């Protein structure tokens, strides 16, 4: 892997955000110099961390996932494959740091929620649907019918679930797609499909399948718990502590120093289950050479260090600046008179900045990088990575714009979600099966740690008058790629049709 080329690409994804925030923070939306300095430092850490992480994924996590999937299918033991799939999904999800944080946040909102039961419900949902996803691959069950059946069941559950729990349920699907587990799940699916004589539509869709499980599990948990429909939701935003009375240098670097040991520990918890699984599979199935084993372990180490640096940069610098920008622009945009004129220019600016952030930041998500590279590799280069990122950026940008408009005009996001999912179901009729799998995988990877910190902080800041409305933003970001990527697939199919027709005539 060319680390210099990878560093250049990651820098191109992150530097535009840094330049935009600096331009705004020094001009029309003035920010404190400490906020800007932390943002720049966080951006640089993000670039270095993402580069190292991607190098580690390519060396360790992806080869492990593909080898494990291939080895399980080669055993020709379906119960073994399915039981391993459930165990993998449950273990890696229960250990995911994002799930622990998400459980704490939900408990703050609904104190009567049992965090352990809530965590196990999410982990069980991922395990069951990872099992179902691999079973679909082995049986070559049509992916479109699969998604239609289970999304229909999901919305049937949503009809009976407490309405104030819906955004949390849909956000749980995004919280499970951690940067360590997603590359492994995607590679596991590729490994399983590679050793069977099925169609190419089986290569993708496993991450999208696994994302259904936690949503259904949380909805079922809410119905079982009988959450009160009129229970009011309150969001408390955490502030950086420990640097209030310090100087400029300490205010800039102290938050990173405080966060580094936190993410050093959390990333260790995230990667430990994968290392343990590798040890088990190596001893029981893989039997790789010492050289291959060392290479994968070195890849794990790189991925771990890269993730620690990435998360420290994101949480230490990005989220604070995003929140401040959102607060200032949201306050200015909400100052509209009865005629709706005084704050209108600021509203347009708020929406425009949200669109730019959504379009650019999703391209820097670790799992998005992994998915786009896998799609280009599996398709033999016929599906270009840059084209996939473009459509994914458009979908995410539109999602952020809709969230901000819903916040400003007090419109319930659940109706946008309902229309969006109905549209994605309708597009499946015209979209090639492989593209449907890619689309649902894209929805699972778009709502990663960068989106759920900077973008969520930005939208919560913009919705400070009613911050509860910003719940569901992660769900909306995860939903929009389902339509955007399927539209790309339909366009791709239309462009390929004349070429395939000409090739067919030549063959005759």
């Amino acid at each position: 892997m060319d680390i210099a080329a990878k560093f250049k690409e990651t820098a191109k994804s992150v530097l535009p955000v840094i330049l935009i925030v600096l331009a705004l923070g020094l001009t029309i939306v003035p920010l404190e110099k400490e906020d800007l300095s932390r943002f720049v430092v966080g951006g640089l850490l993000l670039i270095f961390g993402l580069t190292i992480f991607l190098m580690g994924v390519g060396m360790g996590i992806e080869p492990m996932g593909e080898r494990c999937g291939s080895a399980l299918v080669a055993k020709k033991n379906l119960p073994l494959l399915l039981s391993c799939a459930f165990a993998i999904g449950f273990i890696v999800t229960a250990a995911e740091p994002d799930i622990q944080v998400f459980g704490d946040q939900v408990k703050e909102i609904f104190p009567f929620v049992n965090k352990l039961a809530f965590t196990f419900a999410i982990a069980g949902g991922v395990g069951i649907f990872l099992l179902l996803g691999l079973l679909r691959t082995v049986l070559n069950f049509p992916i479109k019918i699969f998604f239609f059946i289970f999304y229909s069941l999901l919305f049937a559950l949503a009809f009976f679930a407490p309405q104030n729990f819906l955004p949390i349920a849909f956000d749980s699907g995004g919280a499970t797609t951690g940067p360590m587990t997603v590359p492994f799940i995607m590679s596991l699916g590729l490994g399983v499909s590679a050793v069977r004589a099925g169609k190419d539509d089986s290569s993708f869709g496993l991450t999208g399948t696994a994302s259904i499980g936690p949503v259904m599990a949380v909805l079922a948990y809410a119905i079982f718990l009988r959450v009160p429909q009129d229970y009011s939701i309150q969001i408390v935003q955490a502030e950086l502590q420990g640097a209030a009375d310090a100087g400029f240098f300490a205010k800039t670097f102290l938050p990173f120093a405080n966060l580094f040991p936190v993410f050093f520990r959390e990333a260790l918890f995230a990667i430990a289950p994968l290392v343990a699984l590798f040890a088990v599979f190596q001893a029981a199935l893989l039997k790789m050479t010492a050289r291959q084993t060392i290479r994968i372990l070195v890849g794990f180490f790189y991925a771990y260090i890269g993730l620690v640096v990435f998360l420290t940069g994101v949480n230490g610098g990005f989220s604070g600046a995003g929140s401040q920008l959102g607060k200032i622009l949201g306050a200015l945009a909400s100052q509209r008179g009865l005629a709706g004129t005084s704050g209108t220019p600021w509203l347009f600016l708020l929406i425009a900045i949200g669109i730019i952030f959504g379009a650019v930041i999703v391209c820097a998500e670790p799992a998005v990088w992994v998915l786009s590279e896998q799609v280009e590799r599996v398709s033999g280069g016929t599906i270009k990575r840059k084209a996939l990122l473009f459509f994914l950026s458009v979908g995410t940008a539109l999602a952020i714009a809709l969230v901000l408009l819903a916040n400003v005009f007090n419109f319930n996001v659940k109706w946008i979600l309902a229309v969006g999912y109905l549209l994605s179901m309708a597009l499946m009729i015209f979209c090639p099966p492989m593209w449907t799998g890619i689309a649902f995988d894209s929805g699972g990877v778009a709502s990663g740690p960068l989106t759920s910190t900077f973008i969520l902080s930005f939208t919560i800041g913009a919705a400070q008058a009613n911050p509860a409305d910003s719940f569901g933003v992660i769900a909306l970001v995860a939903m929009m790629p389902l339509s955007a990527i399927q539209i790309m697939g339909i366009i791709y199919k239309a462009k390929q049709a004349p070429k395939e027709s000409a090739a067919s005539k030549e063959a005759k």
Side-chain angles (χ1 to χ4, degrees):
M1 179 180 291
D2 189 346
I3 189 170
K6 189 67 64 180
F7 178 83
K8 184 178 179 180
E9 289 187 51
T10 55
K12 284 182 179 179
S13 299
V14 178
L15 286 177
V17 181
I18 296 177
L19 294 176
I20 292 168
V21 172
L22 285 176
L24 291 171
L26 293 172
T27 55
I28 57 177
V29 191
L31 298 179
E32 295 292 334
K33 60 182 181 180
E34 291 87 357
D35 290 331
L36 289 175
S37 61
R38 280 198 299 268
F39 184 80
V40 172
V41 173
L44 295 176
L45 289 175
L46 191 158
I47 293 170
F48 282 103
L50 182 57
T51 302
I52 298 170
F53 172 80
L54 292 172
M55 184 174 68
V57 167
M59 290 178 60
I61 296 178
E62 285 184 336
M64 173 198 166
E66 292 187 21
R67 287 175 181 270
C68 289
S70 300
L72 285 170
V73 176
K75 281 288 185 181
K76 297 182 179 179
N77 187 330
L78 188 59
L80 174 65
L81 173 66
L82 299 183
S83 59
C84 286
F86 176 81
I88 289 170
F90 187 91
I91 292 171
V92 298
T93 303
E96 178 66 48
D98 284 351
I99 295 300
Q100 304 301 320
V101 174
F102 187 67
D104 289 332
Q105 291 173 339
V106 172
K107 189 166 181 62
E108 287 180 6
I109 300 165
F110 299 100
F112 43 81
V113 168
N114 183 294
K115 181 187 172 183
L116 183 62
F118 184 80
T119 302
F120 281 0
I122 292 176
V126 174
I128 291 172
F129 272 81
L130 189 59
L131 178 157
L132 292 173
L134 289 181
L135 181 62
R136 183 204 70 79
T137 303
V138 171
L139 299 179
N140 199 26
F141 188 80
I143 192 170
K144 295 180 181 182
I145 298 176
F146 181 91
F147 280 130
F148 181 80
I149 291 172
F150 284 104
Y151 269 100
S152 298
L153 291 174
L154 188 154
F155 279 100
L157 268 178
F159 180 80
F160 295 101
Q163 297 302 297
N164 54 5
F165 222 78
L166 289 182
I168 293 174
F170 279 93
D171 278 354
S172 70
T176 58
T177 51
M180 283 290 189
T181 56
V182 167
F184 176 73
I185 290 175
M186 286 192 292
S187 300
L188 185 69
L190 291 177
V192 170
S193 62
V195 296
R196 44 179 302 282
K199 300 179 182 179
D200 60 359
D201 67 327
S202 297
S203 300
F204 298 98
L206 190 59
T207 301
T209 300
S211 297
I212 302 173
V215 181
M216 293 187 69
V218 171
L219 289 174
Y221 178 77
I223 294 172
F224 175 79
L225 197 62
R226 297 182 180 178
V227 176
Q229 293 278 5
D230 58 348
Y231 193 88
S232 62
I233 296 177
Q234 295 180 345
I235 299 176
V236 180
Q237 286 184 262
E239 300 291 339
L240 290 171
Q241 303 292 332
D245 300 322
F248 174 79
F249 184 84
K251 286 182 179 180
T252 299
F253 293 100
L254 186 59
F256 297 101
N258 290 337
L259 287 172
F260 184 80
V262 174
F263 292 114
F264 188 88
R265 182 179 63 255
E266 289 193 357
L268 185 62
F269 288 150
I271 200 171
L274 294 181
V275 176
L277 286 170
F278 173 68
V280 172
F281 276 104
Q282 168 65 5
L285 292 173
L286 301 179
K287 310 292 185 181
M288 292 188 295
T289 64
R291 183 188 180 93
Q292 292 172 325
T293 303
I294 292 172
R295 179 177 173 81
I296 286 182
L297 291 176
V298 170
F300 274 126
F301 177 76
Y302 283 146
Y304 168 68
I305 295 299
L307 185 61
V308 172
V309 176
F310 175 88
L311 292 175
T312 302
V314 168
N315 291 274
F318 259 62
S319 58
S323 178
Q324 291 301 316
L325 279 175
K327 283 180 181 178
I328 296 172
L329 288 171
L332 292 170
S334 63
Q335 292 174 0
R336 292 173 290 115
L338 294 177
T341 56
S342 62
T344 301
W346 293 105
L347 173 60
F348 286 139
L349 181 61
L350 173 67
I351 301 300
I353 292 172
I355 288 173
I356 294 171
F357 283 156
V360 175
I361 282 180
V362 71
C363 296
E365 286 286 2
V368 169
W369 278 77
V370 176
L371 174 64
S372 61
E373 291 179 343
Q374 285 188 349
V375 169
E376 189 171 60
R377 174 168 58 88
V378 172
S379 67
T382 57
I383 303 174
K384 298 300 181 183
R385 177 177 171 272
K386 290 183 179 179
L388 185 69
L389 290 177
F390 172 78
F391 276 85
L392 191 55
S393 294
V394 170
T396 307
L398 183 58
I400 302 305
L402 290 173
V403 168
L404 292 172
L405 285 170
N407 287 339
V408 171
F409 294 105
N410 197 28
F411 185 78
N412 198 317
V413 173
K414 72 178 182 181
W415 298 114
I416 303 176
L417 287 171
V419 173
Y421 277 107
L422 285 174
L423 176 61
S424 64
M425 294 297 110
L427 286 171
M428 287 197 304
I429 299 172
F430 309 99
C431 183
M434 184 179 74
W435 282 94
T436 297
I438 295 172
F440 280 82
D441 278 353
S442 298
V445 303
S447 53
L450 190 52
T451 302
S452 60
T453 51
F454 183 85
I455 294 296
L456 186 57
S457 296
F458 180 77
T459 54
I460 288 177
Q464 55 184 322
N466 190 11
D469 286 342
S470 59
F471 254 108
V473 60
I474 303 302
L476 203 55
V477 169
M479 179 269 291
M480 289 304 296
L482 307 187
S483 296
I485 301 301
Q486 287 194 102
I487 290 172
M488 180 185 177
I490 293 170
I491 296 172
Y492 177 86
K493 179 182 178 181
K495 287 184 176 181
Q496 290 293 109
K499 296 180 183 178
E500 292 176 357
S501 177
S504 177
K505 289 180 180 178
E506 289 180 5
K508 292 180 180 179

